Amino acid sequence: MWHSSKPDRYWHYSGELRIGGIVGYLGGTIKNCTNRVNIEVNGGTGTIYVGGIVGEGDYESAEISNCLNTGSITVVNANCVVGGIVGGGAKVNTC
């Protein structure tokens, strides 16, 4: 897994995309985590799910507990579903 306090990564894509400070797509449980990385989305096609911790979670099974996001999320010219903790589809407890 790649970690950095100052990431320098760029992707070009089309279609649906999930971007999270910790994980893009969650199908289970994540606990006791912190994201300090800033996320920026500039342009693109399709729907983009963006969250400080999780981009998108499984609507039936994803759960996020005791997590903190201190990074910023910036979106420019993109169709995004955005949340400070999760972009969409997860139960959130004590975050």
Side-chain angles (χ1 to χ4, degrees):
M1 180 179 284
W2 178 77
H3 296 278
S4 173
S5 62
K6 192 171 183 182
D8 184 18
R9 300 285 187 247
Y10 301 93
W11 295 274
H12 298 280
Y13 68 91
S14 62
E16 198 168 271
L17 184 65
R18 295 157 181 91
I19 301 169
I22 304 293
V23 64
Y25 184 81
L26 179 66
T29 301
I30 189 167
K31 297 179 183 180
N32 306 318
C33 65
T34 299
N35 173 53
R36 294 181 179 94
V37 175
N38 298 328
I39 299 170
E40 180 177 333
V41 178
N42 190 342
T45 60
T47 302
I48 307 164
Y49 295 85
V50 184
I53 303 297
V54 174
E56 183 184 26
D58 179 84
Y59 285 82
E60 297 294 322
S61 63
E63 186 173 339
I64 304 164
S65 299
N66 300 317
C67 292
L68 174 67
N69 174 46
T70 61
S72 67
I73 299 173
T74 305
V75 176
V76 179
N77 296 323
N79 179 28
C80 290
V81 180
V82 180
I85 298 295
V86 62
K91 297 174 191 88
V92 178
N93 300 306
T94 319
C95 292

